[in-house]
Amino acid sequence: MDLDAFFASVEVLDDPSLRGKPVAVGGAGERGVIASASYEARRYGVRSAMPSVIAKRACPLLIILPGRFDRYEEYSRQFHDVVRDLTPDYEPLGLDEVFADLRSLRRLDVRPLDAAAALRRRITNELGLHCGVGLGRNKLFAKLASKESKPRVVDRGLVEGPGVFWVSPAQEAEWLDVLPVRALWGVGPATAAKLSQLGLTWVRDLARVDEATLAQHVGPSMAAALAAYAKGEDFRDVVVDRALKSLGHDQTFARSLTGLGEVREALKVHAGVVARALREKDRVARTITVIVRFDDRTSVSRSQTLSFGIDDEDAIEAIGEALVQSVDLSRSVRLFGLHASGFLERSENQMQLSFGIETASRDAKAGAVAISRGRQVDNEALRDAIDEVRRRFGRTSLATANELSEKGVDVATQRGRHAFGPEVARDERDTTREP
DNA sequence: TCTGGGGTCCTAGGACCC
DNA sequence: TCTGGGGTCCTAGGACCC
């Protein structure tokens, strides 16, 4: 099941004056891309993943809005609530899509086609959104069916989709027969090119090569998946409650950064974002990774794994600093990313916390972390209060003196007064909240 | 026309342990 | 003296999905 033009549709719901207009969500700048486009925009050829510059050219009146992901998450939760009423056996994929295992409906004597239609009605009535449902014997056919359920643009006009589509077992073979390999899960541009070199364009072509040969070109894992798909088989289960494995923050800059100084400034901001995300999700991370992409779009990454988990900005920044130092920054940097992985439950980390300094001294580059860990314990109450204020009033409602100085506020003259002004206090995206 | 940001998974090499 | 085979963990890079 997946929501139609999700981000763009939420924007239209929240601002009805956008209804009927070509709307997209994405980055509007020179380096922006489209994340989601309304059907009106799609009539002009606007598609997700398209560079915004191209989208504007295709559709000069296109309205490109920045994403409001907190809002999309609210809708996503409601979407999941409706799905959960149907079955608890579902697996979200991003914010706007779920795979659901409907076998439990059999016991209740509910037909999947009826359940799907009822689900669509509820999504429309309760959320004001539209969604398509694809039914099939496994994820492979469900996904194909879901695509078929959607509205389509034909000759610049919009053609309604059926809303619910079922690939029945009897039809599976004929569906596979006309399917290009590129349409399969996991086959992107690179794999499609490799397969093309082997003369494999269609799914039916895959059936005539043996898996070992395939594996030499695309690896054993991909080969096994492709061999299965060619037979209409799909070994992927619907996994309920998939655990989060990593989180991070990447930013492409409108103007590339040059030199260690500018990268350090980005690192500081990123460390704050990642640290807050870890705390919000109640995780501590053992591995910190930095990613640097240069103007020629080549990337390098550096990572370090500690013997204990961290979740505060000072520690993450300290590790990030050491990692950034090991990157040659003589070329300008279009993207900087900071990621955290190797999660521990906070309770699993307690032992490490009390032995933090001793443990850290065994980690080659983690001296700085030991210091900030000591400080973290002292400041935990303050930190939690800061998190809470930012959660309620927006990320920019509080700023450190350093951040204010960077914004040009003369912190020294502000002592004894509230050292913030409207330019930093107000989250520009949300004017309904008064800090 | 020139490509985001949130993620997951796979591969390959090296270090290390038993 | 030179050596294996099973396994885990870490690092770096790449492909892919929404």
Side-chain angles (χ1 to χ4, degrees):
Chain A
M1 313 160 184
D2 101 67
L3 298 167
D4 297 353
F6 179 45
F7 301 164
S9 299
V10 169
E11 295 303 328
V12 173
L13 280 179
D14 283 356
D15 180 358
S17 74
L18 296 171
R19 192 165 293 282
K21 295 181 181 168
V23 173
V25 170
E30 280 177 45
R31 291 175 173 174
V33 303
I34 302 300
S36 169
S38 71
Y39 283 97
E40 289 82 357
R42 294 185 197 188
R43 289 182 53 198
Y44 292 88
V46 176
R47 296 285 182 275
S48 48
M50 177 183 265
S52 298
V53 176
I54 313 304
K56 266 288 192 187
R57 201 158 301 161
C59 178
L61 295 178
L62 181 66
I63 299 163
I64 301 180
L65 302 165
R68 296 180 304 153
F69 289 88
D70 291 353
R71 192 81 179 111
Y72 309 148
E73 275 170 15
E74 287 173 27
Y75 274 94
S76 184
R77 273 194 290 276
Q78 293 182 57
F79 173 42
H80 294 166
D81 289 344
V82 174
V83 173
R84 199 177 303 113
D85 277 351
L86 187 60
T87 175
D89 307 326
Y90 71 94
E91 174 185 345
L93 208 82
L95 295 175
D96 67 336
E97 192 169 324
V98 306
F99 281 111
D101 182 340
L102 299 186
R103 284 177 294 188
S104 62
L105 296 185
R106 218 178 296 165
R107 277 187 284 116
L108 306 172
D109 217 23
V110 176
R111 295 171 59 220
L113 281 166
D114 295 335
L119 178 124
R120 291 188 69 235
R121 279 195 297 274
R122 281 194 62 190
I123 298 288
T124 302
N125 293 339
E126 295 173 27
L127 280 71
L129 295 170
H130 297 285
C131 91
V133 181
L135 297 166
R137 194 171 51 81
N138 53 32
K139 284 184 171 177
L140 170 64
F141 292 112
K143 187 81 180 173
L144 292 176
S146 163
K147 283 210 180 85
E148 196 62 24
S149 75
K150 296 283 195 168
R152 253 196 308 237
V153 173
V154 179
D155 294 336
R156 297 221 147 187
L158 196 61
V159 179
E160 280 299 311
V164 180
F165 195 88
W166 177 34
V167 175
S168 69
Q171 298 169 309
E172 288 177 1
E174 51 189 289
W175 273 88
L176 281 187
D177 218 40
V178 295
L179 203 65
V181 288
R182 185 64 177 80
L184 293 174
W185 180 279
V187 180
T191 306
K194 282 183 200 163
L195 294 174
S196 171
Q197 287 212 309
L198 297 171
L200 307 170
T201 307
W202 305 93
V203 173
R204 60 171 184 269
D205 299 334
L206 292 171
R208 56 177 172 72
V209 288
D210 70 38
E211 196 180 314
T213 310
L214 215 46
Q216 284 170 3
H217 294 88
V218 300
S221 180
M222 177 71 76
L226 293 178
Y229 296 159
K231 289 183 279 191
E233 299 303 331
D234 186 345
F235 45 76
R236 293 172 299 164
D237 270 324
V238 170
V239 181
V240 181
D241 282 332
R242 214 176 258 279
L244 182 71
K245 297 194 168 163
S246 74
L247 64 82
H249 182 59
D250 299 88
Q251 190 182 0
T252 295
F253 306 99
R255 189 176 49 78
S256 294
L257 308 182
T258 50
L260 182 58
E262 289 187 356
V263 174
R264 269 194 184 124
E265 283 176 41
L267 167 64
K268 190 188 230 352
V269 175
H270 279 53
V273 172
V274 170
R276 279 190 292 275
L278 282 167
R279 298 197 293 261
E280 191 187 310
K281 296 185 158 60
D282 208 33
R283 302 286 207 289
V284 294
R286 290 182 54 216
T287 303
I288 300 297
T289 304
V290 300
I291 294 168
V292 173
R293 178 175 298 163
F294 301 103
D295 278 350
D296 65 0
R297 296 181 50 79
T298 60
S299 304
V300 296
S301 69
R302 295 287 183 271
S303 69
Q304 187 182 355
T305 299
L306 308 171
S307 59
F308 54 92
I310 55 178
D311 70 347
D312 69 290
E313 32 272 84
D314 291 347
I316 293 169
E317 189 184 346
I319 301 298
E321 170 77 24
L323 293 170
V324 161
Q325 298 263 8
S326 75
V327 178
D328 174 7
L329 294 173
S330 56
R331 290 183 289 163
S332 52
V333 170
R334 70 176 283 139
L335 171 145
F336 180 74
L338 183 66
H339 295 252
S341 58
F343 296 147
L344 261 36
E345 292 293 320
R346 202 174 292 278
S347 58
E348 293 178 274
N349 204 36
Q350 283 309 305
M351 180 86 82
Q352 301 285 9
L353 187 70
S354 45
F355 292 107
I357 290 175
E358 187 200 340
T359 312
S361 67
R362 292 204 306 269
D363 286 284
K365 293 180 210 157
V369 179
I371 296 164
S372 60
R373 285 200 73 71
R375 205 159 58 204
Q376 179 192 332
V377 178
D378 297 340
N379 288 346
E380 205 157 294
L382 171 61
R383 193 194 72 186
D384 288 350
I386 291 173
D387 283 350
E388 177 66 9
V389 170
R390 284 181 162 154
R391 190 185 65 75
R392 289 173 60 183
F393 299 113
R395 196 165 59 77
T396 54
S397 59
L398 285 178
T400 64
N402 276 340
E403 288 161 357
L404 288 172
S405 298
E406 282 160 19
K407 285 176 185 283
V409 176
D410 184 355
V411 178
T413 66
Q414 301 282 333
R415 284 171 73 169
R417 300 166 55 191
H418 297 294
F420 53 81
E423 71 277 10
V424 290
R426 186 186 292 276
D427 181 343
E428 284 135 25
R429 295 283 321 171
D430 188 351
T431 53
T432 64
R433 290 167 169 169
E434 275 302 321

